Amino acid sequence: MMELRWVACRLHWILWLLFVSYTSAFYLPGYSIKRYNDDESIPLLVNKIFSDHTQLQYAYFDLPFVCPPSGRAHGGSPFGSGQSVSLNLGEILRGDRIMTSDFEMQMGKNIECQALCTREVGRKDVKGSRQLIRDGYVAEWIADNLPGATSFVTVDRSRKYYATGFKLGFQDYSPVDGKQRFYMHNHFTIVIRWRSAPEGGKVIVGFEVYPRSIRAEDHGPDGCPRRIHDDHEGLELYLPPNMERLRKMYPGSSYLPEDDDDLDDGATLKIPYSYSVYFKEENGVEWWNRWDLYFSNQEDSSMTHWLAVLNSLTISGVLGVAVCVIWGRTVQGDIKGRGDGAMDDSKLQRGSKSRSSSERKIEGLLDQPDVERDADVGSEDEGLDDVSGWKLLHGDVFRVPEYSGLLAPLVGSGMQLFFMTSGLLLLSCLGILNPSFRGGFVSVGMGLFVFAGLFSGYFSGRLYKTFGGVSWRKNTLITALLFPGLAFCLIFILNLFVWAQASSTAIPFGTLVGIVALWLLIQVPLVYAGSWYGYVRATAWEQPTKTASIARPIPAQPWYLHSIQGTLFTGLAPFAVLFIELLFVFQNLWQDKSGYYYVFGFLSAVTTILMVTVSEVTIIATYSQLCSENYHWWWQSFLTGGSSAVWVFGYCIWYYSFHLHITGFVSSLLFFSYSLLACTVYGLLTGTVGFLTAYAFLRRIYRSIKVD
């Protein structure tokens, strides 16, 4: 009986094929090419500002120091500046607020300088601007679906790469007193790189923004800087203190504070804004690979990704050997040692009476004479010599667990997350979900999650029926509301804190209502339909052995089988498979927001190996538990599969402490809350995989003993 070994070998071959194919995955940069004719208007959209040091984002036009939209239409567009662009759900959830602007660009037409506006800001706005620059905020503009990029060159000057956005300003120190000074960028040099399209017209293959800070005194009457290509002193965000007002506020004081930015005395700082536009032909970049420059700074990490996959394969391979040993030498050895693998029920029942005090619980045994009782015990012990520990539990191993009404909904939610994650990774590897599809990952993920409610209801309902439950509608309600409800409540509470900060990260009220509608009006009925089919139409999973009426006592267990430390110990192997790739995921999610995580091929390979590793660890832990005569494996297998989530959350804490420089209570709250939610999702998914693997494994081995 080499079936499991054959399946394991076949599974490893499938993993290698997935690995080879996914690592060369491509992306589709869009579905249609926009071709421009000479002098055709190119809309420039403004989005938001974001920082690697905080989780709060702000809409560009909400900033008090930028030029407000004039409302005028440009380039024949029926919409004036300041018009919001329609956004998908993913864009809204990621904090995008895309709007039309007053920047005028026409294909092939260079603009030496064009004044935009002159903005006057007070002391409080100057102070707020300095804080944004101190936090390293970056502005994001969009042209032809490309984010405006800051261009960088490698140290050896052999390769150029892009980083999304440009700095609002910069910090410097005064050479006189050594104090920190802040300067605002108020002139923007826009470079549009284009190439001719074979079908005619021109296509944009690059969008670069080079900001400069030029003081107001260097601007002429037309609003443009004089001698624009010369070096200029920067526009410092500084208003001299109002000494007369300070003397009135601190009469007789020998010390007057230099910083009076909190005072509103009507003083303003003028910030003139202007821009230049240049078009450069770029024949070295094709339109379909114009996003490559945004990724080129990540090419050096390819070797690390390969090492991560090799590390994952090594761990999974070692555990796979252990599973093969368990099946080939232990389980099959126990069966083949009996001849044809069949055992009569009487021998197993005699075996189930042993182990310390269990025979004393058999009715009438203590009433026998001493000689007869000793003979009975001796005969039973003789029958135990060839019965292994896991077989003694045939009458209890499929006993309904405690809190089965909670386990079934959790498994259902885990299957829902499993189908959603699988769909996202598959679409990403195929290139359908890519950076040009802004917000697509979140939007499609939300749609897949809602649709997967069918699978959630089906698995929850059928497992609930297997447990002998009768209130399937109650089980359906718990499945549909438990995890989504807790997640929504957490997001809503966090949203209140973000709302208080006037950040675009806050989800609009209308979007919240739409999410609730998706949840209650679409997902809940789908869960109900799946649960109805799984409970009413489908049959319960048939157990291979009958459950005894009297529960077998469980002997004392080793520490690694029942304690919290033992459960955490089993989570180390899956975490070791994942932790290298986690570094790149965290870097793109929390630290390098201007970049894009694009190596979904590697992530898919690691995720596949992770699922296999979780299955292997659960099989080993469950078999060890059964050999110790502990049949409470239902919840234990679920916790074993999801135990690595605790290590992932610990990794989040370590990453926050040593890699992130997040400032502010709200940003820290967002980090830990979303990390906890992500680890909960991960734990549900891997816990469900572990549970179903253990269930399938036990059904297989107990079916093989052929108990009559």
Side-chain angles (χ1 to χ4, degrees):
M1 299 181 66
M2 304 293 292
E3 181 179 350
L4 187 61
R5 187 178 302 175
W6 177 81
V7 170
C9 295
R10 185 177 180 183
L11 184 58
H12 277 83
W13 275 108
I14 293 175
L15 285 176
W16 272 109
L17 290 176
L18 287 173
F19 172 66
V20 173
S21 60
Y22 284 170
T23 50
S24 59
F26 61 94
Y27 64 89
L28 302 174
Y31 303 103
S32 62
I33 300 176
K34 173 62 177 176
R35 301 178 182 87
Y36 295 90
N37 298 321
D38 288 338
D39 297 332
E40 184 178 352
S41 178
I42 302 174
L44 192 151
L45 309 175
V46 297
N47 188 5
K48 62 186 177 183
I49 64 170
F50 58 90
S51 172
D52 297 338
H53 302 290
T54 177
Q55 305 308 315
L56 299 176
Q57 305 172 107
Y58 299 94
Y60 185 79
F61 276 147
D62 288 345
L63 302 177
F65 51 83
V66 304
C67 291
S70 64
R72 298 192 307 269
H74 304 283
S77 173
F79 304 107
S81 62
Q83 180 72 30
S84 296
V85 177
S86 298
L87 304 175
N88 58 46
L89 180 60
E91 289 175 311
I92 296 175
L93 294 180
R94 69 193 293 264
D96 287 348
R97 301 296 183 266
I98 304 176
M99 306 179 75
T100 57
S101 71
D102 284 306
F103 291 89
E104 298 184 41
M105 300 188 301
Q106 294 176 326
M107 175 58 75
K109 185 178 180 180
N110 293 334
I111 300 176
E112 188 74 14
C113 181
Q114 175 67 47
L116 196 60
C117 79
T118 298
R119 185 72 164 170
E120 295 187 6
V121 295
R123 294 187 182 276
K124 291 184 178 180
D125 293 337
V126 168
K127 182 179 180 180
S129 304
R130 289 202 297 259
Q131 183 60 45
L132 292 177
I133 294 175
R134 182 183 291 110
D135 290 338
Y137 271 89
V138 172
E140 181 181 351
W141 295 350
I142 301 171
D144 195 44
N145 202 32
L146 280 177
T150 301
S151 178
F152 296 93
V153 180
T154 55
V155 178
D156 57 0
R157 308 186 67 84
S158 62
R159 192 169 70 248
K160 182 175 75 171
Y161 62 92
Y162 284 163
T164 302
F166 59 89
K167 294 285 187 180
L168 292 177
F170 63 94
Q171 307 176 52
D172 202 354
Y173 292 90
S174 172
V176 178
D177 53 12
K179 293 184 178 179
Q180 194 174 35
R181 304 296 185 187
F182 296 88
Y183 298 88
M184 175 66 68
H185 288 144
N186 62 330
H187 180 81
F188 311 102
T189 300
I190 300 171
V191 178
I192 302 294
R193 300 190 178 273
W194 61 273
R195 66 170 297 151
S196 298
E199 299 82 1
K202 300 176 180 178
V203 294
I204 297 177
V205 296
F207 174 32
E208 303 169 3
V209 181
Y210 299 91
R212 296 175 62 189
S213 180
I214 302 176
R215 65 178 184 173
E217 291 78 3
D218 292 341
H219 285 71
D222 59 351
C224 286
R226 302 183 184 91
R227 299 182 301 277
I228 189 172
H229 299 291
D230 294 347
D231 293 333
H232 297 272
E233 292 186 20
L235 176 65
E236 184 180 356
L237 290 172
Y238 175 74
L239 282 172
N242 190 329
M243 303 306 296
E244 293 184 4
R245 187 165 181 174
L246 289 175
R247 291 190 183 96
K248 292 180 181 179
M249 294 182 62
Y250 304 96
S253 175
S254 59
Y255 170 77
L256 296 178
E258 296 183 6
D259 187 3
D260 61 343
D261 291 334
D262 293 330
L263 302 177
D264 187 9
D265 59 353
T268 59
L269 174 67
K270 292 184 178 181
I271 306 178
Y273 285 95
S274 58
Y275 65 95
S276 303
V277 181
Y278 298 98
F279 289 84
K280 294 183 178 294
E281 186 173 7
E282 180 64 67
N283 293 320
V285 179
E286 298 289 346
W287 185 88
W288 50 81
N289 61 358
R290 61 179 184 167
W291 281 87
D292 288 356
L293 288 176
Y294 294 89
F295 303 147
S296 60
N297 64 324
Q298 304 178 28
E299 291 180 354
D300 296 336
S301 62
S302 296
M303 181 57 67
T304 308
H305 287 291
W306 282 99
L307 292 176
V309 175
L310 181 61
N311 168 73
S312 304
L313 285 174
T314 302
I315 296 174
S316 178
V318 171
L319 293 174
V321 170
V323 171
C324 291
V325 169
I326 288 176
W327 181 261
R329 295 188 178 181
T330 306
V331 178
Q332 291 194 31
D334 289 342
I335 297 171
K336 291 181 178 180
R338 309 300 177 271
D340 60 352
M343 296 184 65
D344 56 36
D345 193 43
S346 59
K347 175 180 280 191
L348 287 173
Q349 288 181 356
R350 286 198 306 270
S352 63
K353 297 177 186 177
S354 66
R355 297 294 191 264
S356 69
S357 63
S358 60
E359 72 277 358
R360 292 194 297 269
K361 295 183 180 291
I362 305 300
E363 183 178 358
L365 182 61
L366 296 178
D367 297 333
Q368 298 178 5
D370 293 340
V371 177
E372 295 180 4
R373 185 169 64 247
D374 293 341
D376 289 340
V377 173
S379 62
E380 290 170 0
D381 290 341
E382 292 175 359
L384 290 176
D385 293 338
D386 56 352
V387 178
S388 58
W390 63 273
K391 291 184 180 180
L392 298 175
L393 305 180
H394 75 98
D396 298 279
V397 70
F398 295 109
R399 190 178 300 278
V400 176
E402 295 182 351
Y403 308 107
S404 59
L406 178 61
L407 181 60
L410 290 180
V411 172
S413 297
M415 290 304 299
Q416 186 176 9
L417 295 170
F418 178 82
F419 281 104
M420 180 196 72
T421 304
S422 301
L424 285 175
L425 290 176
L426 178 61
L427 294 175
S428 299
C429 291
L430 295 177
I432 298 175
L433 298 180
N434 56 80
S436 68
F437 186 7
R438 188 175 291 102
F441 195 85
V442 178
S443 298
V444 175
M446 184 70 70
L448 289 174
F449 180 81
V450 172
F451 174 75
L454 280 171
F455 303 101
S456 174
Y458 172 79
F459 281 94
S460 176
R462 193 168 183 185
L463 184 61
Y464 183 74
K465 186 176 184 178
T466 303
F467 288 153
V470 293
S471 301
W472 71 273
R473 289 184 176 86
K474 177 182 177 181
N475 176 75
T476 301
L477 193 64
I478 295 176
T479 305
L481 300 182
L482 179 60
F483 171 72
L486 293 176
F488 179 81
C489 290
L490 175 62
I491 292 174
F492 181 78
I493 294 174
L494 293 176
N495 212 47
L496 297 178
F497 288 92
V498 182
W499 265 336
Q501 301 293 322
S503 170
S504 66
T505 309
I507 305 174
F509 181 76
T511 304
L512 286 175
V513 173
I515 293 175
V516 173
L518 282 174
W519 172 26
L520 299 180
L521 301 182
I522 299 180
Q523 189 222 359
V524 171
L526 288 175
V527 173
Y528 183 89
S531 183
W532 173 83
Y533 188 85
Y535 186 90
V536 177
R537 298 299 299 272
T539 59
W541 282 306
E542 183 180 355
Q543 313 297 10
T545 60
K546 296 180 180 180
T547 301
S549 58
I550 301 177
R552 177 185 177 86
I554 300 176
Q557 299 292 299
W559 67 270
Y560 54 85
L561 291 181
H562 64 83
S563 64
I564 298 178
Q565 297 90 330
T567 303
L568 292 177
F569 178 76
T570 58
L572 273 176
F575 175 72
V577 168
L578 191 63
F579 85 99
I580 297 179
E581 197 64 33
L582 273 180
L583 181 63
F584 297 97
V585 175
F586 276 42
Q587 182 177 354
N588 284 270
L589 282 179
W590 301 112
Q591 196 169 7
D592 186 16
K593 301 186 187 69
S594 62
Y596 296 93
Y597 187 87
Y598 75 103
V599 284
F600 287 101
F602 287 105
L603 182 61
S604 300
V606 172
T607 303
T608 305
I609 300 171
L610 172 68
M611 295 298 106
V612 176
T613 304
V614 169
S615 301
E616 294 168 342
V617 168
T618 308
I619 289 175
I620 295 172
T622 303
Y623 183 77
S624 300
Q625 183 178 350
L626 294 181
C627 289
S628 297
E629 302 182 34
N630 183 359
Y631 52 84
H632 293 315
W633 62 271
W634 300 90
W635 277 105
Q636 192 66 26
S637 63
F638 186 88
L639 296 176
T640 297
S643 59
S644 57
V646 179
W647 293 98
V648 174
F649 188 74
Y651 185 86
C652 294
I653 299 175
W654 173 83
Y655 195 86
Y656 175 87
S657 302
F658 295 98
H659 284 267
L660 294 183
H661 305 285
I662 292 179
T663 58
F665 169 76
V666 176
S667 295
S668 299
L669 179 65
L670 290 176
F671 174 83
F672 284 108
S673 299
Y674 284 127
S675 296
L676 178 62
L677 180 60
C679 291
T680 302
V681 169
Y682 171 82
L684 278 176
L685 196 156
T686 54
T688 300
V689 171
F691 170 82
L692 294 179
T693 301
Y695 190 30
F697 173 73
L698 294 186
R699 285 169 55 87
R700 179 66 182 86
I701 65 174
Y702 279 97
R703 187 181 295 114
S704 65
I705 64 176
K706 303 178 183 178
V707 177
D708 298 326

